[in-house]
Amino acid sequence: MKIRKRLRKTNFEKRKLSWNPKITMQTLINFLTIIVGSFLFAIGVNSFMIAGNLGEGGFIGLSIILYYAFGISTAASNFVLNFFILIVGFKFLGKRSMYYTILTIPMTSLMLWITEDWQVQSGEILVNTVFGGLFIGLGIGLIIRIGSTTAGTTILARMANKFFDVNVSYALLFFDVIVVTIGVLTVLTLEQGLLTIIALYVATKVMDFIIEGMNPKKAITIISEKPEVLGKMVNTEIRRGVTIMDGRGFYSKRDKDILYVVINKSQLTRLKRLIKKYDENAFVVVHDVNSVLGNYFI
């Protein structure tokens, strides 16, 4: 019995010692990103959406509904609502993401409080709609990009991404539309609700760009009678590695070499021009690539 107690104590000590986070330069950059993202998010909510009497999606949308209906501060209600969903998040999401979210929730509420009176009265509702969506998308996109969340429906969206492989941005849009619908049924007019959906779409596209598309790539599949010539051309003139895959024509039953290469989007036009120059009969397929991992892509 004594040995077992000692072993348990040792295992506990190991677990305790293993949780010793190191403050690295990347961690500090992530903290700064959360601050900047929270500020941009708050600007979008207070300076444009609320200033234009518009709604929002997610838990901040519920906070805006409470603000319009009862005058409750969005900073306070946003903090309280997100506290409860955070408990669910601890169960379904990774610890690293939750640690950052613990910082993000009070930070977004703080920024909402600081910018509470910062309102842009443009006189043109579309300005509030577009720029509200732009700032909110930038803010949430930066926060999600470093692995954090703004809690609320963002946690639900990340859960959908983890378990159902649904794009985070579009899962977020789905949950946000539900909240907007609640707003239309309570405090918003139909026109305000429709404008809010436009803002949500803008925010979604901006988020998608920040999270996945800041460094776009293109994958090119090339079927040619001159694979050696085209492969050498890609190596020397485009300066990219090429993978040769074995293929076989279904109709002709002939074996063929298929070239596969990943390039920067800016190189696509030049590559297509060179392919046409060396083999104008080559069959070329261009694929969108959101991210590239590994040490082989320089």
Side-chain angles (χ1 to χ4, degrees), residues 156-177:
L156 298 179
R158 286 178 68 88
M159 289 168 59
N161 175 258
K162 181 176 181 179
F163 296 112
F164 303 106
D165 197 28
V166 178
N167 182 286
V168 172
S169 301
Y170 290 102
L172 198 58
L173 179 62
F174 171 76
F175 292 121
D176 287 348
V177 169

Side-chain angles (χ1 to χ4, degrees), residues 86-102:
L86 187 62
I87 297 174
V88 178
F90 266 116
K91 182 178 180 181
F92 289 100
L93 297 180
K95 289 184 178 180
R96 179 180 180 274
S97 179
M98 286 297 98
Y99 291 145
Y100 280 129
T101 302
I102 289 173

Side-chain angles (χ1 to χ4, degrees), residues 99-113:
Y99 291 145
Y100 280 129
T101 302
I102 289 173
L103 173 64
T104 301
I105 291 174
M107 186 59 63
T108 52
S109 294
L110 175 64
M111 292 301 177
L112 285 168
W113 177 70

Side-chain angles (χ1 to χ4, degrees), residues 34 97 100-101 104 143-150 154 158:
I34 289 173
S97 179
Y100 280 129
T101 302
T104 301
I143 289 169
I144 293 178
R145 186 173 176 84
I146 59 97
S148 181
T149 74
T150 54
T154 307
R158 286 178 68 88

Side-chain angles (χ1 to χ4, degrees), residues 33 138 141-142 145-146 205-217 264-265 289-291:
T33 302
L138 282 172
L142 288 172
R145 186 173 176 84
I146 59 97
K205 299 306 290 185
V206 173
M207 269 191 292
D208 204 34
F209 175 75
I210 295 296
I211 296 170
E212 299 179 339
M214 291 186 71
N215 192 17
K217 303 289 187 295
N264 291 319
K265 187 177 180 180
V289 176
N290 288 326
S291 61

Side-chain angles (χ1 to χ4, degrees), residues 169-189:
S169 301
Y170 290 102
L172 198 58
L173 179 62
F174 171 76
F175 292 121
D176 287 348
V177 169
I178 293 177
V179 174
V180 173
T181 303
I182 296 173
V184 171
L185 295 174
T186 53
V187 296
L188 299 176
T189 66

Side-chain angles (χ1 to χ4, degrees), residues 248-254:
R248 190 182 184 209
F250 177 79
Y251 179 76
S252 65
K253 306 300 181 184
R254 290 174 53 197

